[in-house]
PDB file of all heavy atoms in Angstrom:
ATOM      1  N   GLY A 268      -6.720  -3.501   7.329  1.00  0.00           N
ATOM      2  CA  GLY A 268      -6.518  -4.967   7.636  1.00  0.00           C
ATOM      3  C   GLY A 268      -7.774  -5.667   8.000  1.00  0.00           C
ATOM      4  O   GLY A 268      -8.088  -6.710   7.423  1.00  0.00           O
ATOM      5  N   PRO A 269      -8.407  -5.236   9.009  1.00  0.00           N
ATOM      6  CA  PRO A 269      -9.691  -5.913   9.407  1.00  0.00           C
ATOM      7  C   PRO A 269     -10.733  -5.951   8.295  1.00  0.00           C
ATOM      8  O   PRO A 269     -11.473  -6.961   8.284  1.00  0.00           O
ATOM      9  CB  PRO A 269     -10.201  -5.003  10.626  1.00  0.00           C
ATOM     10  CG  PRO A 269      -8.934  -4.455  11.089  1.00  0.00           C
ATOM     11  CD  PRO A 269      -8.090  -4.155   9.940  1.00  0.00           C
ATOM     12  N   CYS A 270     -10.817  -4.945   7.487  1.00  0.00           N
ATOM     13  CA  CYS A 270     -11.850  -5.040   6.380  1.00  0.00           C
ATOM     14  C   CYS A 270     -11.438  -6.192   5.394  1.00  0.00           C
ATOM     15  O   CYS A 270     -12.303  -6.937   5.041  1.00  0.00           O
ATOM     16  CB  CYS A 270     -11.710  -3.713   5.612  1.00  0.00           C
ATOM     17  SG  CYS A 270     -12.096  -2.163   6.567  1.00  0.00           S
ATOM     18  N   ARG A 271     -10.141  -6.205   5.044  1.00  0.00           N
ATOM     19  CA  ARG A 271      -9.708  -7.295   4.114  1.00  0.00           C
ATOM     20  C   ARG A 271      -9.900  -8.683   4.804  1.00  0.00           C
ATOM     21  O   ARG A 271     -10.247  -9.608   4.068  1.00  0.00           O
ATOM     22  CB  ARG A 271      -8.201  -7.040   3.753  1.00  0.00           C
ATOM     23  CG  ARG A 271      -7.970  -5.678   3.122  1.00  0.00           C
ATOM     24  CD  ARG A 271      -8.624  -5.503   1.752  1.00  0.00           C
ATOM     25  NE  ARG A 271      -8.132  -6.379   0.783  1.00  0.00           N
ATOM     26  CZ  ARG A 271      -7.008  -6.285   0.057  1.00  0.00           C
ATOM     27  NH1 ARG A 271      -6.330  -5.136   0.149  1.00  0.00           N
ATOM     28  NH2 ARG A 271      -6.682  -7.150  -0.905  1.00  0.00           N
ATOM     29  N   ALA A 272      -9.677  -8.785   6.069  1.00  0.00           N
ATOM     30  CA  ALA A 272      -9.856 -10.059   6.702  1.00  0.00           C
ATOM     31  C   ALA A 272     -11.297 -10.545   6.683  1.00  0.00           C
ATOM     32  O   ALA A 272     -11.580 -11.666   6.687  1.00  0.00           O
ATOM     33  CB  ALA A 272      -9.294 -10.038   8.136  1.00  0.00           C
ATOM     34  N   GLU A 273     -12.248  -9.506   6.795  1.00  0.00           N
ATOM     35  CA  GLU A 273     -13.658  -9.881   6.900  1.00  0.00           C
ATOM     36  C   GLU A 273     -14.200 -10.106   5.444  1.00  0.00           C
ATOM     37  O   GLU A 273     -15.271 -10.774   5.371  1.00  0.00           O
ATOM     38  CB  GLU A 273     -14.377  -8.700   7.458  1.00  0.00           C
ATOM     39  CG  GLU A 273     -15.855  -8.827   7.639  1.00  0.00           C
ATOM     40  CD  GLU A 273     -16.220 -10.052   8.557  1.00  0.00           C
ATOM     41  OE1 GLU A 273     -15.452 -10.379   9.456  1.00  0.00           O
ATOM     42  OE2 GLU A 273     -17.337 -10.611   8.323  1.00  0.00           O
ATOM     43  N   ASN A 274     -13.540  -9.722   4.448  1.00  0.00           N
ATOM     44  CA  ASN A 274     -14.030  -9.840   3.050  1.00  0.00           C
ATOM     45  C   ASN A 274     -14.474 -11.220   2.636  1.00  0.00           C
ATOM     46  O   ASN A 274     -15.473 -11.527   1.993  1.00  0.00           O
ATOM     47  CB  ASN A 274     -13.188  -9.196   2.023  1.00  0.00           C
ATOM     48  CG  ASN A 274     -13.330  -7.704   1.901  1.00  0.00           C
ATOM     49  OD1 ASN A 274     -14.352  -7.213   2.336  1.00  0.00           O
ATOM     50  ND2 ASN A 274     -12.395  -7.005   1.350  1.00  0.00           N
ATOM     51  N   PRO A 275     -13.687 -12.271   2.901  1.00  0.00           N
ATOM     52  CA  PRO A 275     -14.043 -13.642   2.626  1.00  0.00           C
ATOM     53  C   PRO A 275     -15.400 -14.010   3.164  1.00  0.00           C
ATOM     54  O   PRO A 275     -16.257 -14.689   2.561  1.00  0.00           O
ATOM     55  CB  PRO A 275     -12.871 -14.514   3.153  1.00  0.00           C
ATOM     56  CG  PRO A 275     -11.699 -13.634   3.113  1.00  0.00           C
ATOM     57  CD  PRO A 275     -12.246 -12.279   3.478  1.00  0.00           C
ATOM     58  N   ASN A 276     -15.612 -13.606   4.450  1.00  0.00           N
ATOM     59  CA  ASN A 276     -16.964 -13.913   5.034  1.00  0.00           C
ATOM     60  C   ASN A 276     -18.121 -13.155   4.319  1.00  0.00           C
ATOM     61  O   ASN A 276     -19.192 -13.697   4.106  1.00  0.00           O
ATOM     62  CB  ASN A 276     -16.970 -13.510   6.536  1.00  0.00           C
ATOM     63  CG  ASN A 276     -15.978 -14.353   7.333  1.00  0.00           C
ATOM     64  OD1 ASN A 276     -15.774 -15.494   7.075  1.00  0.00           O
ATOM     65  ND2 ASN A 276     -15.493 -13.766   8.422  1.00  0.00           N
ATOM     66  N   LEU A 277     -17.764 -11.890   3.925  1.00  0.00           N
ATOM     67  CA  LEU A 277     -18.759 -11.124   3.248  1.00  0.00           C
ATOM     68  C   LEU A 277     -19.177 -11.686   1.827  1.00  0.00           C
ATOM     69  O   LEU A 277     -20.244 -11.667   1.390  1.00  0.00           O
ATOM     70  CB  LEU A 277     -18.264  -9.634   3.181  1.00  0.00           C
ATOM     71  CG  LEU A 277     -19.324  -8.539   2.918  1.00  0.00           C
ATOM     72  CD1 LEU A 277     -20.336  -8.574   3.937  1.00  0.00           C
ATOM     73  CD2 LEU A 277     -18.638  -7.249   2.930  1.00  0.00           C
ATOM     74  N   VAL A 278     -18.084 -12.315   1.191  1.00  0.00           N
ATOM     75  CA  VAL A 278     -18.315 -12.891  -0.084  1.00  0.00           C
ATOM     76  C   VAL A 278     -19.271 -14.086   0.105  1.00  0.00           C
ATOM     77  O   VAL A 278     -20.176 -14.209  -0.705  1.00  0.00           O
ATOM     78  CB  VAL A 278     -16.973 -13.393  -0.649  1.00  0.00           C
ATOM     79  CG1 VAL A 278     -17.274 -14.261  -1.882  1.00  0.00           C
ATOM     80  CG2 VAL A 278     -16.108 -12.136  -1.166  1.00  0.00           C
ATOM     81  N   LYS A 279     -19.021 -14.855   1.071  1.00  0.00           N
ATOM     82  CA  LYS A 279     -19.933 -16.003   1.342  1.00  0.00           C
ATOM     83  C   LYS A 279     -21.374 -15.564   1.663  1.00  0.00           C
ATOM     84  O   LYS A 279     -22.305 -16.185   1.086  1.00  0.00           O
ATOM     85  CB  LYS A 279     -19.417 -16.815   2.511  1.00  0.00           C
ATOM     86  CG  LYS A 279     -18.091 -17.532   2.184  1.00  0.00           C
ATOM     87  CD  LYS A 279     -17.602 -18.288   3.472  1.00  0.00           C
ATOM     88  CE  LYS A 279     -16.200 -19.018   3.203  1.00  0.00           C
ATOM     89  NZ  LYS A 279     -15.704 -19.643   4.389  1.00  0.00           N
ATOM     90  N   THR A 280     -21.498 -14.503   2.459  1.00  0.00           N
ATOM     91  CA  THR A 280     -22.841 -13.967   2.754  1.00  0.00           C
ATOM     92  C   THR A 280     -23.506 -13.418   1.445  1.00  0.00           C
ATOM     93  O   THR A 280     -24.715 -13.703   1.358  1.00  0.00           O
ATOM     94  CB  THR A 280     -22.650 -12.851   3.743  1.00  0.00           C
ATOM     95  OG1 THR A 280     -22.221 -13.309   5.005  1.00  0.00           O
ATOM     96  CG2 THR A 280     -24.068 -12.148   3.997  1.00  0.00           C
ATOM     97  N   TYR A 281     -22.741 -12.765   0.637  1.00  0.00           N
ATOM     98  CA  TYR A 281     -23.336 -12.230  -0.595  1.00  0.00           C
ATOM     99  C   TYR A 281     -23.888 -13.398  -1.561  1.00  0.00           C
ATOM    100  O   TYR A 281     -24.853 -13.351  -2.101  1.00  0.00           O
ATOM    101  CB  TYR A 281     -22.233 -11.393  -1.310  1.00  0.00           C
ATOM    102  CG  TYR A 281     -22.759 -10.790  -2.634  1.00  0.00           C
ATOM    103  CD1 TYR A 281     -23.551  -9.618  -2.640  1.00  0.00           C
ATOM    104  CD2 TYR A 281     -22.393 -11.322  -3.909  1.00  0.00           C
ATOM    105  CE1 TYR A 281     -23.990  -9.112  -3.744  1.00  0.00           C
ATOM    106  CE2 TYR A 281     -22.837 -10.645  -5.007  1.00  0.00           C
ATOM    107  CZ  TYR A 281     -23.568  -9.613  -4.996  1.00  0.00           C
ATOM    108  OH  TYR A 281     -24.006  -8.957  -6.179  1.00  0.00           O
TER     109      TYR A 281
END
Side-chain angles (χ1 to χ4, degrees):
C270 303
R271 303 293 296 275
E273 182 61 28
N274 278 342
N276 294 328
L277 202 52
V278 168
K279 293 177 182 178
T280 296
Y281 182 76

